[in-house]
Amino acid sequence: MLGTRLTNARFLTMDPDHPVAHDLGIRQGRIAGLDEAVTSLPAREVVDLQGATVLPGFIDAHVHLAWTGFKQNTPSIAGLTRVDDALAVVAEAVARTRAPGDWVSVAGYDQRALGRHLTAADLDRVGDGRKLYLLHDSGHGCVVNTAVLELLPAGTPHENGFLAERAMGAARALRLPNSQEDLAEAIGRAARTCLAEGVTACAEAGIGGTLFGHSPVELGAYQLARDKDLLPLRVQLMVSADLLRPVTAHESDGIPRALDLGLRTGLGDDRLSVGALKIWTDGGMMARTAALTSPYEGLDHAGQLQDAPEALTELIVDGHLAGWQLAVHAIGDRAADVALDAIERAQRLRPRPEARHRIEHAGLIRPDQLPRLARLGVSAVVQPSFLRYFGDDYASVMGADRAPWMYRGRAFLDHGIPLVGSSDRPVADGSPLRAVQFMVERASVSGQLIGPDEAVTVEQALHAYTVAGAHACHWEDRLGSLTPGKLADLVVLADDPRRVGTSRIGDIEVVETYVDGRPARPRG
């Protein structure tokens, strides 16, 4: 007997052997069969979906759940365009603290909206003895007041209170880690938001590290969230490469650095598992720290690498030798060169074609880099919503020659490079459907076309958020398509993305989200 039979729907299975179905049966959390294989079987529950469209649950291959959850509960200056208005929000946050010396966090900082960076002197006007920390929306910088600057190690570089990349990490290190209880609650908030947008599985893009980590025991917070029933979707955890340390392993293992006990990709189960090793090679376009081979338009610099190329190469190679899948953050084309050189060296030293290494973002990929990506078998994990929401700005700082190379779609597919969809939530909007719309029309919110030759079809965009996401996370045997035997994770939509006008795809209603064959969306 089936547990549930879903009927009267258009099931877009993403399985070429049975691409469309009208009935789907569920037994013990898995897909038992499609159409005639289940239509006549008895079921404890039959759900009439009234003509809805059903897809495999969306997979977001690059998110920051804890950061998202904390940001949702943090005072924000997002959208403000006047410095005085931003400082007024900071002053209100200061007024809600208890005592001088307290830390005050404010989210939504983006100098582009304000017309200039805030400075330590600006913040000192409203700080009232508190330590102020405004995280840049890119996650690659922050602005602090003098009370924080005075605590930083001597020589920490900053520009009037703005700290980028490693310097930001020095400011983060001054604060106590978040508690596992607070982390679990934040993770739960973010997970519920994901479910509401049809996401049933995601990869958390870096725990425990200097840039984005929240605690040295952060993995335990995800376990706690699961224990407390706050983790309603599947999560794979990328571990920061900061945590690699020298080990004295047997020489036949060939492992110079590892995590304790040789932890590597693959540990865990269907709900919570350890995924790739996260390695940052550069910063971001929003903060102007993505590492380019030639300067930003209108600026006298070309961004920055996180470390010397030799050190980054050694880190990437050691992660590969330790058995990890690698998720290498590389937004600028110079950073991509470093990443590809290192992955090529690693594969030469110890071939692991099954590793499925990934380039996270691949924000600016030159034409000559495309064949290298294909030859090395790496996936491009892109964030289409970056160009949807920030594309006008990015295009201006890249210039006419480079703008068509940003966050590619068609060129990756034409070269046989797996195209994987993600959001980098909370840096950008997390809706897979809005990202799919951009991938097809390549239009920013202002209507500007950005790299129109990189447009893909609706089917290819949906593939990036289902089948390709599953493959990038080593989940293809259980997720990514509505195939008998796979886990019954699916999203019910009010319309078929293939049949509505492209401009309407992002507004399609997510009616329900199923995980393990059960409705999982929060009510109310």
Side-chain angles (χ1 to χ4, degrees):
M1 173 181 284
L2 299 175
T4 304
R5 186 172 74 251
L6 304 179
T7 188
N8 188 20
R10 183 184 298 110
F11 293 90
L12 308 182
T13 69
M14 306 307 293
D15 181 346
D17 292 335
H18 194 147
V20 181
H22 52 77
D23 275 22
L24 182 145
I26 299 170
R27 180 186 294 119
Q28 296 180 346
R30 291 185 178 268
I31 299 170
L34 301 168
D35 293 342
E36 287 72 23
V38 297
T39 300
S40 61
L41 294 180
R44 284 191 291 271
E45 178 186 36
V46 176
V47 179
D48 184 343
L49 292 177
Q50 301 179 0
T53 296
V54 182
L55 281 155
F58 295 127
I59 296 171
D60 191 331
H62 184 120
V63 301
H64 299 277
L65 289 179
W67 178 14
T68 298
F70 282 128
K71 186 175 181 179
Q72 289 171 339
N73 274 17
T74 300
S76 177
I77 59 173
L80 299 181
T81 58
R82 297 179 65 250
V83 168
D84 286 346
D85 292 341
L87 293 177
V89 173
V90 177
E92 291 175 10
V94 166
R96 289 194 291 271
T97 58
R98 296 181 180 178
D102 283 352
W103 282 90
V104 177
S105 294
V106 175
Y109 175 60
D110 185 344
Q111 83 284 357
R112 299 170 305 171
L114 296 171
R116 68 168 176 88
H117 272 299
L118 295 178
T119 67
D122 290 329
L123 298 182
D124 289 344
R125 289 163 42 198
V126 294
D128 195 24
R130 274 63 168 177
K131 304 182 189 75
L132 305 186
Y133 182 96
L134 279 64
L135 180 62
H136 196 274
D137 261 349
S138 68
H140 288 273
C142 65
V143 62
V144 300
N145 63 343
T146 302
V148 176
L149 293 177
E150 290 174 346
L151 298 176
L152 292 172
T156 301
H158 70 91
E159 295 183 16
N160 298 318
F162 182 75
L163 301 121
E165 308 302 342
R166 288 192 167 204
M168 177 192 71
R172 288 173 65 99
L174 297 172
R175 309 181 65 172
L176 286 173
N178 295 99
S179 72
Q180 287 190 341
E181 288 282 351
D182 287 347
L183 275 164
E185 293 293 333
I187 291 163
R189 282 194 296 273
R192 292 190 292 274
T193 301
C194 290
L195 282 175
E197 294 175 338
V199 175
T200 58
C202 65
E204 164 64 57
I207 63 169
T210 302
L211 281 180
F212 290 95
H214 296 85
S215 167
V217 291
E218 194 165 355
L219 192 153
Y222 281 84
Q223 292 178 294
L224 179 62
R226 178 177 177 169
D227 293 344
K228 297 180 68 173
D229 200 25
L230 296 173
L231 199 65
L233 75 172
R234 306 184 197 283
V235 178
Q236 187 179 86
L237 303 171
M238 299 184 201
V239 179
S240 172
D242 294 1
L243 303 179
L244 285 181
R245 63 181 182 86
V247 295
T248 308
H250 192 280
E251 64 179 21
S252 66
D253 292 333
I255 300 176
R257 282 191 281 181
L259 266 68
D260 288 344
L261 302 178
L263 178 70
R264 61 177 174 84
T265 302
L267 185 69
D269 58 24
D270 289 335
R271 275 293 181 140
L272 183 63
S273 60
V274 174
L277 187 73
K278 179 69 179 295
I279 300 171
W280 284 267
T281 64
D282 70 344
M285 287 187 190
M286 192 187 303
R288 312 307 194 227
T289 54
L292 312 177
T293 50
S294 57
Y296 290 86
E297 288 285 314
L299 300 177
D300 60 358
H301 69 86
Q304 64 190 79
L305 295 171
Q306 293 286 354
D307 207 338
E310 298 78 13
L312 293 170
T313 295
E314 186 177 10
L315 187 60
I316 290 169
V317 169
D318 286 355
H320 173 90
L321 294 177
W324 287 90
Q325 178 190 23
L326 304 178
V328 185
H329 168 116
I331 291 184
D333 60 330
R334 184 185 177 208
D337 280 335
V338 171
L340 294 173
D341 288 346
I343 291 172
E344 187 167 25
R345 178 181 171 190
Q347 290 285 20
R348 192 165 55 243
L349 289 171
R350 182 177 297 166
R352 287 177 52 219
E354 79 291 348
R356 300 186 197 172
H357 296 323
R358 308 158 39 144
I359 300 296
E360 306 299 304
H361 307 295
L364 188 74
I365 299 296
R366 303 187 310 270
D368 65 286
Q369 292 173 318
L370 293 166
R372 292 195 70 196
L373 281 157
R375 186 173 68 253
L376 291 170
V378 299
S379 298
V381 183
V382 301
Q383 297 75 40
S385 287
F386 279 16
L387 292 190
R388 177 177 170 84
Y389 293 98
F390 315 137
D392 295 349
D393 173 65
Y394 287 9
S396 69
V397 296
M398 288 301 107
D401 290 341
R402 291 181 294 185
W405 305 344
M406 294 191 299
Y407 296 92
R408 293 175 179 270
R410 167 63 56 195
F412 288 139
L413 295 178
D414 286 348
H415 283 80
I417 300 162
L419 174 64
V420 183
S422 70
S423 68
D424 204 15
R425 185 195 303 266
V427 177
D429 175 66
S431 165
L433 286 170
R434 285 191 284 273
V436 165
Q437 177 178 324
F438 174 82
M439 294 174 79
V440 177
E441 66 183 7
R442 298 289 298 191
S444 71
V445 290
S446 74
Q448 179 181 356
L449 295 180
I450 302 171
D453 290 344
E454 293 295 332
V456 301
T457 67
V458 174
E459 290 80 1
Q460 289 167 333
L462 293 172
H463 187 276
Y465 279 90
T466 53
V467 177
H471 186 265
C473 296
H474 291 268
W475 280 332
E476 73 276 7
D477 63 336
R478 69 202 84 165
L479 297 174
S481 65
L482 302 181
T483 302
K486 291 191 176 184
L487 295 165
D489 292 2
L490 43 91
V491 56
V492 181
L493 304 178
D495 269 310
D496 185 340
R498 306 169 310 163
R499 299 190 177 189
V500 302
T502 302
S503 63
R504 292 180 50 208
I505 293 174
D507 294 325
I508 293 174
E509 178 190 359
V510 175
V511 177
E512 187 58 88
T513 309
Y514 282 72
V515 177
D516 284 327
R518 296 186 297 273
R521 282 186 61 189
R523 299 295 183 181

